[in-house]
């Protein structure tokens, strides 16, 4: 991730199950249609990168992950476009950890009561999402879960919140934090782990001694010192 460009790069995966195409061949075009609809929707939040194909098997998942690594995307959006999805298509994402959104959605804003079996199966995402989230929970992969139809304002608000969080993550990534003084041993409430900060956010911490601050700013005129700085400089 790079801090210079604040526009999010979104890796998009339309998740499907390749077993469906033999049993429900009519579903393939329908799945492709919704995959494009959701991609167009997500594009309002940033630049979308995808493989231009349904991710319906582990091989395509690996291919997509390598593509996302090449483009260094900031966040992943996974949308289901078949009734269920194979769990193994998300395991490869462990090799490229990024903030992840699971979009639990369906074709209709509300499922009509008079559906036959074929139409019911086209209301995608019913069983696929719980299977995906269970895998992510077991593998300890953090994610956002957004549920609802793309025409719902609440869904748009949820996406905006998740994207803002990703922007904040992107801004922090690979920054340097200066820490004045030191922590007292055993004070857990103020404790921090530099290694954890580095692994999670790419943040490098630099300890700055009070004496270094005083020696650096010793030539500053008293009028230039704001009241809050006096305590530090006089210590």
């Amino acid at each position: 991730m790079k801090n210079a460009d604040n526009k999010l790069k979104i890796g998009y995966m339309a998740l499907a199950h390749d077993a469906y195409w033999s049993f429900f061949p009519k579903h393939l075009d329908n799945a492709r249609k919704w995959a494009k609809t959701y991609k167009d929707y997500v594009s309002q939040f940033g630049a979308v990168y995808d493989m231009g194909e349904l991710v319906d098997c582990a091989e395509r998942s690996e291919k997509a992950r390598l593509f996302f690594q090449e483009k260094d995307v900031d966040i992943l959006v996974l949308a289901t476009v078949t009734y269920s999805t194979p769990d193994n298509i998300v395991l490869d994402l462990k090799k490229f950890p990024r903030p992840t959104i699971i979009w639990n959605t369906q074709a209709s804003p509300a499922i009509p009561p008079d559906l036959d079996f074929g139409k019911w199966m086209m209301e995608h995402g019913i069983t696929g999402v719980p299977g995906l989230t269970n895998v992510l929970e077991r593998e300890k992969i953090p994610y956002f879960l957004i549920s609802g139809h793309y025409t719902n304002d609440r869904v748009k608000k949820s996406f905006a919140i998740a994207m803002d969080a990703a922007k904040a993550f992107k801004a922090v990534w690979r920054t340097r934090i200066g820490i004045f003084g030191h922590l007292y041993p055993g004070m857990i409430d103020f404790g921090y782990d530099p290694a954890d900060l580095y692994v999670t956010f790419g943040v490098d911490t630099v300890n700055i001694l009070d004496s270094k601050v005083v020696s650096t700013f010793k030539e500053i005129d008293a009028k230039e010192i704001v009241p809050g700085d006096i305590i530090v400089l006089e210590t």
Side-chain angles (χ1 to χ4, degrees):
M1 292 187 180
K2 299 177 182 178
N3 302 22
D5 183 7
N6 195 41
K7 186 175 183 179
L8 281 179
K9 293 190 288 186
I10 303 169
Y12 171 72
M13 298 173 68
L15 305 182
H17 201 311
D18 58 355
Y20 277 63
W21 317 139
S22 298
F23 296 99
F24 309 101
K26 294 181 180 180
H27 287 210
L28 181 56
D29 288 341
N30 185 70
R32 287 170 174 164
K33 179 191 76 172
W34 285 111
K36 183 181 184 305
T37 298
Y38 300 147
K39 176 184 175 181
D40 292 344
Y41 178 85
V42 171
S43 66
Q44 67 184 295
F45 302 105
V48 178
Y49 296 84
D50 78 321
M51 298 301 298
E53 61 185 12
L54 300 175
V55 180
D56 57 2
C57 60
E59 291 75 18
R60 287 189 174 184
S61 176
E62 181 182 15
K63 184 179 176 182
R65 188 261 303 171
L66 292 171
F67 176 68
F68 295 153
Q69 281 184 303
E70 177 188 346
K71 298 301 181 181
D72 194 26
V73 301
D74 303 306
I75 188 169
L76 303 176
V77 175
L78 281 55
T80 56
V81 293
T82 54
Y83 186 80
S84 63
T85 51
D87 297 345
N88 62 352
I89 62 179
V90 298
L91 291 177
D92 194 66
L93 296 179
K94 292 183 66 176
K95 300 176 183 177
F96 183 61
R98 284 294 185 269
T100 301
I101 294 174
I102 301 291
W103 189 5
N104 177 23
T105 188
Q106 61 194 31
S108 304
I111 299 180
D114 57 345
L115 293 181
D116 59 27
F117 181 74
K119 291 180 180 179
W120 171 262
M121 292 295 289
M122 287 188 181
E123 293 293 339
H124 42 261
I126 305 299
T127 62
V129 169
L132 293 173
T133 54
N134 283 338
V135 171
L136 296 176
E137 290 284 351
R138 290 198 302 269
E139 298 298 325
K140 299 186 181 340
I141 300 176
Y143 63 92
F144 297 91
L145 176 61
I146 297 178
S147 298
H149 199 259
Y150 70 96
T151 58
N152 192 307
D153 289 339
R154 179 176 54 81
V155 170
K156 183 176 182 179
K157 182 178 180 180
S158 297
F159 264 102
I161 291 172
M163 296 299 177
D164 284 344
K167 286 180 181 178
F169 182 87
K170 180 179 181 180
V172 171
W173 188 259
R174 293 178 186 165
T175 56
R176 301 177 75 219
I177 297 178
I179 298 179
F180 291 94
H182 60 86
L183 302 172
Y184 289 103
M187 291 191 68
I188 300 176
D189 50 342
F190 291 105
Y192 75 102
D193 184 350
D196 195 32
L197 284 176
Y198 184 80
V199 171
T200 306
F201 299 107
V203 170
D204 189 20
T205 56
V206 181
N207 288 300
I208 304 173
L209 300 177
D210 294 342
S211 57
K212 179 66 175 177
V213 177
V214 174
S215 62
T216 301
F217 295 100
K218 63 183 179 181
E219 301 299 331
I220 293 179
D221 186 88
K223 294 180 180 180
E224 296 178 314
I225 301 175
V226 297
D229 293 334
I230 295 177
I231 297 176
V232 176
L233 294 176
E234 290 182 348
T235 301

